[in-house]
Amino acid sequence: MLFWHVPAPNEALLISGSKRQKDAAQFRIVTGHGSFVVPVKQRARVLSLALREAEITEECITNQGIRLHVRAVAAFKVGDDSVSIANAARRFLSEQDNMEALVGRVFAGHLRSIVGGLTVEQIIRERDRVAQEIKDGSHAEMEKLGIVVDALEIQEIEDASGYISNLAAPHAAAAASQARIAKAQADLEATERELAAQAMKAQYERDMSIKQAGYLAETQQARARAEQSGPLAEAQAKQQVIQQQTALAQHEAELAAQRLEAGVRRPADAEAYKTRTLAEASRDQARFTTEAEAYRKRQMAEADRDQARLAAEAEAYRQMTLAESDAKATRLRADARAHAERAQAQGQADANQALAASLREGNQEVIAANVLIGNLPALVDSAARGLAGANLTVLNGTQGVNEIVAGLVGQGISILDLLKKSVASSAAPSPNGTAQGSLEKIA
């Protein structure tokens, strides 16, 4: 129909002139179905949604300062959503034929930017990465334009300075070198195989010559054996007769040796063995008897030696003990005599002092003590003479001697106390008024 418009599958119908709401687009977008367009009041335009191709040819400079001529191809189209169609319609509806050039220039700018941050090696080896970075970098701008990029490929990289050729030169040289090496190895293997074949051929010829010579020699030997078969047979018969006679003689000699062995040698060996065994037994018995007697004598000598040593040690110990006892007794007698003399001298001195004091003060007890002290040496001497003949055993040395002497002194003090009491009882004033008579009696 004249007023009914139907867009193609790869087209979008844009109808303007309709009254739209405030927030809606200024035109209506129709895709996939038809729509009625009111004449004069509305206007319908068509925007192509088909795939487009943009060739990008740009001179770029890498971060190494090398100038490259890069050719790429981008496949793009207007997006199928309403927003993309609206954005593309506002920008390209009247310039749809120039859309490839406009989009190509946008991609060219991003291509120069991406290549400027890479090296030549990275661009050559990572073309997919470069293409993806270009797509990612232009995504925002393409979205504003309503463009969707389906593919972006770098097709060719040209280098006017020869840098890329120089990069390939080492690899080409290595490949050529490997080719030459492979060819040389192939030639070497072929030569080795030819030499091996020639050696095998020469060995085969030598083996054939040896075999032919062997066949000829065997033929000649067979002919010679045939000619000498008669004399050889006769000589072999004689040799067999000689061998039989020799074997018979050896057998007779072996029988004679066996008779000698059984009748003479074995009985003689048995008698000799018996005699030798008896002699060895007698020798062993005599040696055992001799060793036993020597052992007994050695043990008796050691016992006598030990007994003599023990007796000598006992006698020495007895004499040493007696000598020590005599020395201790002598030392005790000397100590007792010295102590008695010291006690006598001290007692005499104390008696003289006490007597003098008593005479001055008229103390009868002191006078009696003085008289006792005067007689004390005689008492101590008597006690010492009594101890001189006594057999005393002192267990604790000097301390024991001191204890004995202290005992004697204690006994003397006890006697002194008894005398004091007797003197005190008998020291009463006499009819003549003096104690002189008592003192004289005590003295």
Side-chain angles (χ1 to χ4, degrees):
M1 296 177 61
L2 182 60
F3 304 111
W4 183 259
H5 294 266
V6 179
N10 59 348
E11 292 179 345
L13 183 63
L14 308 178
I15 302 174
S16 61
S18 299
K19 190 175 183 180
R20 310 296 295 171
Q21 296 180 359
K22 182 176 181 181
D23 296 333
Q26 293 84 358
F27 48 88
R28 184 159 55 95
I29 301 172
V30 178
T31 56
H33 59 86
S35 177
F36 184 77
V37 179
V38 179
V40 180
K41 184 178 180 181
Q42 295 179 341
R43 184 178 179 182
R45 300 285 300 272
V46 176
L47 178 64
S48 174
L49 304 180
L51 183 67
R52 298 172 182 268
E53 179 181 322
E55 280 195 12
I56 306 164
T57 302
E58 193 69 23
E59 286 190 358
C60 305
I61 299 176
T62 65
N63 65 350
Q64 299 166 318
I66 298 173
R67 187 179 298 276
L68 299 178
H69 186 76
V70 182
R71 188 167 67 85
V73 176
F76 68 95
K77 64 183 288 295
V78 177
D80 296 331
D81 59 292
S82 301
V83 176
S84 298
I85 294 173
N87 291 337
R90 293 189 184 98
R91 290 167 175 80
F92 302 111
L93 185 58
S94 58
E95 297 183 1
Q96 295 187 44
D97 296 335
N98 297 326
M99 187 180 296
E100 292 83 355
L102 296 174
V103 173
R105 284 196 291 270
V106 173
F107 281 125
H110 287 285
L111 177 62
R112 286 194 301 271
S113 176
I114 298 301
V115 170
L118 300 175
T119 63
V120 176
E121 291 82 356
Q122 291 175 335
I123 296 170
I124 294 173
R125 297 170 185 169
E126 302 176 6
R127 293 191 181 190
D128 294 338
R129 172 191 166 190
V130 176
Q132 186 63 37
E133 288 184 359
I134 295 172
K135 289 171 64 177
D136 294 341
S138 61
H139 177 71
E141 296 179 359
M142 294 295 108
E143 187 177 4
K144 292 179 181 179
L145 297 176
I147 303 298
V148 176
V149 179
D150 289 341
L152 177 65
E153 296 293 336
I154 297 177
Q155 292 184 337
E156 187 178 356
I157 300 174
E158 296 179 357
D159 174 25
S161 63
Y163 184 86
I164 296 176
S165 300
N166 293 331
L167 287 177
H171 301 286
S177 176
Q178 291 178 357
R180 289 194 299 272
I181 292 171
K183 184 179 179 181
Q185 289 179 350
D187 295 341
L188 179 61
E189 291 178 358
T191 303
E192 290 177 351
R193 290 180 180 179
E194 289 177 358
L195 293 175
Q198 292 176 2
M200 291 176 64
K201 182 179 179 181
Q203 184 177 2
Y204 177 75
E205 292 177 353
R206 184 196 64 184
D207 293 342
M208 288 299 298
S209 300
I210 292 172
K211 287 180 180 180
Q212 289 176 0
Y215 294 154
L216 181 60
E218 289 177 358
T219 303
Q220 292 176 357
Q221 289 177 2
R223 188 180 296 111
R225 284 196 297 270
E227 293 175 355
Q228 296 177 359
S229 59
L232 182 62
E234 184 179 357
Q236 288 179 352
K238 291 181 180 180
Q239 184 178 4
Q240 289 178 359
V241 171
I242 294 171
Q243 289 178 354
Q244 291 294 329
Q245 291 176 354
T246 303
L248 180 60
Q250 289 179 353
H251 183 64
E252 291 177 353
E254 289 176 358
L255 290 176
Q258 290 177 1
R259 295 191 192 98
L260 178 63
E261 179 74 20
V264 178
R265 187 175 300 166
R266 287 185 180 180
D269 291 342
E271 185 65 25
Y273 178 75
K274 179 181 177 181
T275 303
R276 186 168 55 253
T277 303
L278 290 175
E280 290 177 354
S282 299
R283 181 197 61 190
D284 294 339
Q285 181 67 28
R287 185 172 65 240
F288 177 76
T289 303
T290 303
E291 291 178 354
E293 182 64 23
Y295 179 75
R296 187 184 65 80
K297 290 181 179 180
R298 187 167 57 252
Q299 293 295 325
M300 292 298 295
E302 290 179 357
D304 294 339
R305 181 195 61 191
D306 295 339
Q307 184 177 5
R309 186 176 65 251
L310 292 175
E313 290 178 356
E315 180 63 23
Y317 180 75
R318 187 182 67 80
Q319 292 179 3
M320 183 176 61
T321 304
L322 291 175
E324 289 179 356
S325 299
D326 294 341
K328 288 181 180 179
T330 302
R331 188 166 57 252
L332 286 174
R333 286 194 296 271
D335 291 343
R337 189 178 297 110
H339 189 74
E341 290 176 358
R342 286 196 303 270
Q344 183 178 1
Q346 185 66 33
Q348 185 65 38
D350 293 342
N352 292 333
Q353 291 179 2
L355 181 60
S358 298
L359 292 176
R360 285 192 305 268
E361 299 175 1
N363 192 345
Q364 298 299 324
E365 295 179 357
V366 176
I367 292 172
N370 186 22
V371 174
L372 179 61
I373 291 170
N375 294 324
L376 185 60
L379 295 173
V380 172
D381 186 36
S382 298
R385 284 197 299 272
L387 292 173
N391 188 8
L392 297 177
T393 301
V394 180
L395 301 177
N396 51 355
T398 305
Q399 185 178 356
V401 175
N402 293 333
E403 290 177 357
I404 293 172
V405 175
L408 295 174
V409 174
Q411 292 178 3
I413 292 172
S414 299
I415 297 170
L416 178 61
D417 291 337
L418 292 175
L419 290 176
K420 284 180 181 181
K421 291 179 181 179
S422 65
V423 171
S425 61
S426 63
S430 62
N432 56 6
T434 64
Q436 185 66 30
S438 299
L439 293 173
E440 289 175 356
K441 290 178 181 180
I442 296 172

